[in-house]
Amino acid sequence: MLDGDCVWQREPLPSSVLTSFTRYSELPAKGGKGPILIAATVVVHREVSDAEWEMARTLEEALRCPEQQLSQDERLTGLLSAGLPFGVGQFSSDDSISESGEYHSDALGGPHYYIWGQSRLGKVTVSAVGKGSKGRAPEEIDTAVTEATGVMLAVAEDELEGPR
C-alpha cells in the first residue's frame, strides 16, 4: 500500500482479495550492461468490481505520488501513468494501465528507466515491473515487461476458460 507520504508499506491483503502472488527475477548483467530487475504479480479478487477499483487506484497513484519510496534504498521519480481501454494495446484484456518514470537505487545508481504494466481480465489482475540499470535501453525493459504480462494474461485466460 502506498501511504500518505508516498512510501510503500506492507499491509495484509484486503478482504476483497482472494490471493496474491509475486515472483521476483533478474535478467543478468551482460556485455557491460547491468541487470534488469523484474517483479511479476497476479491478484485474484472476489468480484470484478474489486479488480476494477484496484486498477483505478493504481492509475491514480502516479498522479498523487509522482515520486515514491519503494524501500530504504530504492525510489521512483517522474512517474506518469496512462490507461488503455479494452481493445487498445497488445493484449486481449478488459483494461490495461502503464506507468513509467525513473528508477534510483543505492546498489544500481540511477536514474534508470522504469516501466510498470498492469492488465485486468475479469477478477484477475496481472502486473509486471521492470527496473533498468547501467547501459540498458528502455526497449529492452519494455520487452521484458510486455512479455511477462502477455504470458500471465494467456495463462489466466486459459485457467478462467476451464477444461475443454
Side-chain angles (χ1 to χ4, degrees):
M1 168 169 273
L2 190 61
D3 71 15
D5 294 326
C6 300
V7 176
W8 283 95
Q9 306 290 329
R10 288 197 176 266
E11 298 276 330
L13 291 177
S15 60
S16 62
V17 172
L18 293 171
T19 191
S20 176
F21 181 77
T22 300
R23 177 76 68 186
Y24 299 92
S25 61
E26 179 178 306
L27 296 172
K30 68 175 184 175
K33 296 179 180 182
I36 298 175
L37 306 178
I38 302 290
T41 301
V42 177
V43 179
V44 180
H45 296 269
R46 291 186 185 279
E47 302 293 334
V48 170
S49 61
D50 297 326
E52 291 171 335
W53 275 111
E54 178 195 341
M55 297 290 285
R57 279 189 302 275
T58 302
L59 187 60
E60 293 170 354
E61 285 170 347
L63 298 173
R64 180 173 67 85
C65 295
E67 295 192 12
Q68 300 176 8
Q69 191 73 36
L70 298 177
S71 66
Q72 182 110 6
D73 63 346
E74 294 180 300
R75 67 186 176 92
L76 303 173
T77 60
L79 294 177
L80 298 171
S81 61
L84 299 171
F86 178 76
V88 177
Q90 301 175 352
F91 304 125
S92 60
S93 60
D94 294 323
D95 54 35
S96 296
I97 55 178
S98 68
E99 175 180 277
S100 63
E102 295 181 331
Y103 170 68
H104 309 259
S105 84
D106 291 351
L108 298 173
H112 301 296
Y113 183 72
Y114 164 86
I115 185 80
W116 174 84
Q118 182 170 335
S119 294
R120 181 183 64 80
L121 190 60
K123 299 177 187 181
V124 178
T125 61
V126 299
S127 61
V129 62
K131 301 171 190 171
S133 63
K134 178 185 166 216
R136 291 295 187 161
E139 296 78 20
E140 292 176 278
I141 302 159
D142 286 341
T143 298
V145 168
T146 300
E147 287 176 0
T149 305
V151 168
M152 289 189 295
L153 271 176
V155 170
E157 189 170 27
D158 284 348
E159 291 296 320
L160 290 171
E161 287 179 0
R164 291 175 172 67

